[in-house]
Amino acid sequence: MTAVVALGGNALMRPGERGTAAEQLANLRRAVAALEPLLDDDGLVITHGNGPQVGNELIRQERAADEAPPLPLWLAVAQTQAEIGALIAAELRPAVDRDVACVLTHVRVAPDDPAFDRPTKPIGPFYSSAQAEQLQRERGWTMNEDANRGYRRVVPSPEPLDVIELPAVRSLVAAGAIVIACGGGGIPVVRRGGRLTGIDAVIDKDRASALLARGLGSDRLVILTEVPALYADFGTPDQREVRELSTHDAEHLLPSLAEGSMRPKVAAGVAFGRETLITNFEALGDALAGRAGTRIVGGVTGA
Amino acid sequence: MTAVVALGGNALMRPGERGTAAEQLANLRRAVAALEPLLDDDGLVITHGNGPQVGNELIRQERAADEAPPLPLWLAVAQTQAEIGALIAAELRPAVDRDVACVLTHVRVAPDDPAFDRPTKPIGPFYSSAQAEQLQRERGWTMNEDANRGYRRVVPSPEPLDVIELPAVRSLVAAGAIVIACGGGGIPVVRRGGRLTGIDAVIDKDRASALLARGLGSDRLVILTEVPALYADFGTPDQREVRELSTHDAEHLLPSLAEGSMRPKVAAGVAFGRETLITNFEALGDALAGRAGTRIVGGVTGA
C-alpha cells in the first residue's frame, strides 16, 4: 500500500497559538502518533498546508522591509516548506525506522489560468485603508476588505498542473524513504521561455497532493482536516456523516460544498480518482478500518 | 567524474547589494554560466553558503517579534536552504537537460563539541549595548562587540559529523539529478534521547561540503570563493599562487591561514582527502585544466 497523506493546519497550530517552534513540534508529536497506522506503508509521502506560517513570514518580510529586502511570495512559500519540513522531520524520525527526507517542491501552473484574473486567496497581515492603497499602487497587489478587520492582500489560487520534483519524490520513495513534499501546495512556477519562473500565487495543498498522488501512482490519498467526515444535510436534524462516495457522486456534490473548506478536499479526491479518505486525526484509525471518515472510491456507485 | 561544488557568498550577492530575489537570480545566472564545464559531470551536488541571507532572515524575525514569533536559528537556516535552493534551481534548470532537486539537509554535530563553549561566528543584525544586554539576559545569547558597529550575536561553529540526508542525496544522484544540498552548512542537529534536535549553531559550509563529498565517494570537491587561488607569501614581493598541495602539506599550512577565510577551505580539502580545487568563477575553466586555482591532492608529495 502506498499513500499520500495531506496534513491540515491543525497538525501544526491550534486555536490561540502563535506558531512558535515549540508549539508546532508539540502538535506534530500528537499528529505523528495518530499517523502510526500509516507509517509502515511501503510508499509514504507527507504533504502539508502553510497558511499561518506563510502569514507569519509575510509579516516578518513587511516589518523589516527597510532593512532586509522582502522576498516575493513564491520564495516565502519555499521558506515555509523548509520550516515545516524540518519540524515534521524532527517528530517523524524517532517514530520510524527509515529515512525521512524533505524535497523542496515546485508546482507548475498555467500563466493564463483564469485564477490570475480573479485573486481570491487572502494571505498575510491586515492593513489600514491607506496602507492598502499604497501597496496596491507601489507593488501592484490586489487588496480586499476583510469584514471589520481591515484590508488584506488576495492572491490567485491557480490549478496545479505538474509537480516539477515528481521524479525526485519517486526516486526517494523507491529507495524506502518517507518523503515530505509539496508543502503549502508547492512553490508556484510558470513556464516562460524555457524557464520555470516563480509566480506569486498560492496553490491549494489538497489539489497539489492529489496531483502528486496521481503522478506517483499511489493507492490512497488521506486528507486530514478538522472534522471526522463530510456531513450530509449539515445543520439539520438529519445531519449524518457520509461514509462513502463514488467519484461520480462526489463530483456532483462539489457545487454544494463550502469553497474554502470541504470543496477543495472533495475536488482533490475526484481529481485523484482512486481511494481518498477525508477525516481527522482522532478518527483516522477507525476511518482506515472503514468505520469512520468519508471515503471517495473510483467507479460510479457509492453509498 | 562526480563532484561536490560549494558556492561562496559571491555567487549570490555582490558588494553593495541587499539580497533581493532579482539580484540573487542575476548573480546566479553568471555563476551557472561559469559552472558550465561541470554541468555534465555524472554526479553533481551543489552546496552553498547563507551568511547574508540568514542575516536578513534574523533581522525579519527580530523586527516582527511582537506579532510573529521568532523562529530559532536552526529553522532560519532551514528557511535559507529553501530560499537559496529555489533561486539556484531557477537558474540551473534552463542550463541542463536533467532533473534538479533541492534536499533539506540536516547535519549532526556533537553536543559536547568544544565550539559550544566558545561561540565565535557572528550572525544577524547589530544591536546597541542596551539591546545586547537585554538579549543576553532574556534569550541567553552570547553577544560580542564588533569594532565600532555595535554588538552582535555570536554562535558556535561545531564540526560536522554526519549528513543526515546522505542516503537521499545519494539516491537522487544515482537517479541522475543534480542535487542542491547542505545549504548554509546544513541545519545543525544533535542526537538526544533517540531524537535529532535542532540546535542554534552555524556549521562551516566548506567543512559540511567535504563531509558530504566524502560520504558520497565523490571524485572532486570544488570550492568557489572570491580569489583565484591560495597565495604563498601573501602581501610580499614574492606573493604567488599555490598551484598544488598534498593533503599532508595542506594540513601543515593550516595554522598559518586566516581563520574566517582560507583556513576552513583548506581544512575542507584535508578532511575530504581527494582532489580539492579552490578557485573563483573567473578562473574555474583554467583551474579545471590545471592552469589556475589551488589543487589539494591526496598523498604526501606536493608542489
Side-chain angles (χ1 to χ4, degrees):
Chain A
M1 197 60 142
T2 67
V4 170
V5 178
L7 303 185
N10 64 334
L12 293 150
M13 222 182 284
R14 301 201 295 181
E17 292 183 343
R18 299 175 67 221
T20 65
E23 286 168 354
Q24 295 191 68
L25 286 169
N27 294 329
L28 281 167
R29 197 162 312 173
R30 281 184 291 268
V32 166
L35 288 179
E36 205 274 327
L38 292 168
L39 296 182
D40 288 331
D41 278 12
D42 278 342
L44 179 57
V45 176
I46 293 180
T47 66
H48 59 83
N50 73 345
Q53 292 83 359
V54 83
N56 277 343
E57 191 53 39
L58 292 171
I59 292 170
R60 295 182 190 119
Q61 308 270 352
E62 284 311 303
R63 292 283 288 273
D66 58 333
E67 203 178 342
L71 299 172
L73 174 59
W74 61 275
L75 281 179
V77 171
Q79 288 180 303
T80 64
Q81 287 189 355
E83 171 193 348
I84 301 168
L87 291 166
I88 294 175
E91 292 303 328
L92 197 52
R93 283 206 173 96
V96 297
D97 282 330
R98 45 187 174 143
D99 282 320
V100 173
C102 172
V103 178
L104 193 69
T105 317
H106 299 74
V107 171
R108 188 173 67 81
V109 301
D112 59 354
D113 189 303
F116 286 106
D117 299 326
R118 198 180 58 97
T120 52
K121 177 97 185 156
I123 55 156
F126 290 93
Y127 297 96
S128 71
S129 160
Q131 287 173 317
E133 210 171 291
Q134 189 184 352
L135 289 165
Q136 199 145 4
R137 200 174 54 238
E138 290 180 1
R139 303 212 203 161
W141 290 0
T142 306
M143 309 297 290
N144 267 11
E145 196 170 359
D146 189 315
N148 296 315
R149 295 189 292 173
Y151 289 79
R152 214 165 165 205
R153 182 178 179 194
V154 285
V155 296
S157 189
E159 191 192 342
L161 300 179
D162 263 327
V163 177
I164 304 300
E165 282 84 357
L166 179 63
V169 175
R170 194 186 284 129
S171 296
L172 293 173
V173 166
I178 298 181
V179 183
I180 304 163
C182 262
I187 305 166
V189 290
V190 293
R191 198 177 294 286
R192 273 187 191 141
R195 291 174 57 89
L196 290 169
T197 301
I199 191 161
D200 285 354
V202 166
I203 300 169
D204 179 78
K205 73 114 175 40
D206 296 312
R207 296 299 302 272
S209 302
L211 185 69
L212 178 63
R214 207 181 158 95
L216 290 171
S218 297
D219 300 306
R220 187 152 63 182
L221 172 63
V222 179
I223 299 179
L224 291 164
T225 181
E226 314 270 332
V227 293
L230 183 68
Y231 292 99
D233 299 321
F234 184 75
T236 75
D238 289 336
Q239 174 178 322
R240 64 199 182 280
E241 292 189 358
V242 177
R243 191 62 66 237
E244 193 170 302
L245 278 172
S246 68
T247 49
H248 180 267
D249 291 346
E251 194 163 5
H252 277 80
L253 199 64
L254 286 178
S256 71
L257 299 173
E259 192 170 0
S261 165
M262 272 296 164
R263 200 192 295 176
K265 297 181 199 313
V266 173
V270 171
F272 177 44
R274 290 190 184 182
E275 183 185 341
T276 301
L277 201 53
I278 302 173
T279 189
N280 62 8
F281 284 111
E282 292 73 12
L284 178 60
D286 283 342
L288 289 167
R291 294 189 302 267
T294 297
R295 191 179 306 260
I296 301 172
V297 291
V300 292
T301 55
Chain B
M1 196 61 142
T2 67
V4 170
V5 178
L7 304 184
N10 64 334
L12 292 150
M13 221 181 286
R14 301 200 295 180
E17 291 183 344
R18 299 176 67 223
T20 66
E23 285 167 356
Q24 295 190 68
L25 285 169
N27 294 330
L28 282 167
R29 197 161 312 173
R30 283 185 289 268
V32 167
L35 287 179
E36 205 275 327
L38 292 168
L39 296 182
D40 289 330
D41 278 12
D42 278 342
L44 178 58
V45 176
I46 293 180
T47 66
H48 59 84
N50 74 344
Q53 292 83 359
V54 82
N56 277 342
E57 192 53 39
L58 292 171
I59 291 170
R60 295 181 189 119
Q61 308 270 352
E62 282 312 302
R63 293 281 289 273
D66 58 334
E67 204 178 340
L71 300 172
L73 174 60
W74 60 276
L75 282 179
V77 171
Q79 289 181 302
T80 64
Q81 287 190 354
E83 171 194 348
I84 301 169
L87 291 166
I88 294 175
E91 293 303 327
L92 197 52
R93 283 205 173 95
V96 297
D97 283 330
R98 46 187 174 145
D99 283 320
V100 173
C102 171
V103 178
L104 193 70
T105 317
H106 299 74
V107 171
R108 187 172 69 81
V109 300
D112 59 355
D113 189 303
F116 285 106
D117 298 326
R118 197 179 57 98
T120 52
K121 176 99 186 155
I123 54 157
F126 290 92
Y127 298 96
S128 70
S129 158
Q131 286 173 317
E133 209 170 292
Q134 190 183 352
L135 289 164
Q136 199 145 3
R137 203 174 51 238
E138 290 181 1
R139 304 212 201 161
W141 291 359
T142 306
M143 308 297 289
N144 266 12
E145 195 169 0
D146 189 315
N148 295 316
R149 296 188 293 175
Y151 289 78
R152 215 164 164 206
R153 181 178 179 195
V154 286
V155 297
S157 189
E159 191 192 342
L161 299 179
D162 262 327
V163 177
I164 304 300
E165 282 83 359
L166 178 64
V169 175
R170 194 186 282 131
S171 296
L172 293 172
V173 166
I178 297 181
V179 182
I180 303 163
C182 263
I187 305 166
V189 290
V190 293
R191 197 177 295 285
R192 273 188 192 141
R195 293 174 55 89
L196 290 170
T197 301
I199 191 160
D200 286 355
V202 165
I203 300 169
D204 179 77
K205 73 116 175 42
D206 296 311
R207 295 299 303 271
S209 302
L211 185 69
L212 179 63
R214 206 181 160 96
L216 291 170
S218 297
D219 300 306
R220 186 153 64 182
L221 172 63
V222 179
I223 299 179
L224 290 163
T225 182
E226 315 269 333
V227 291
L230 183 67
Y231 293 98
D233 298 321
F234 184 76
T236 74
D238 289 335
Q239 173 178 322
R240 62 197 182 280
E241 293 189 357
V242 176
R243 190 64 64 239
E244 193 171 301
L245 277 173
S246 68
T247 48
H248 180 268
D249 291 345
E251 194 163 7
H252 277 82
L253 199 63
L254 284 177
S256 71
L257 299 173
E259 192 170 0
S261 165
M262 272 298 165
R263 199 192 297 176
K265 297 181 200 313
V266 173
V270 172
F272 176 44
R274 291 190 184 183
E275 183 185 340
T276 300
L277 200 53
I278 302 174
T279 188
N280 63 7
F281 283 113
E282 291 73 13
L284 178 59
D286 282 342
L288 288 168
R291 294 189 301 267
T294 297
R295 192 179 305 263
I296 301 172
V297 292
V300 292
T301 56

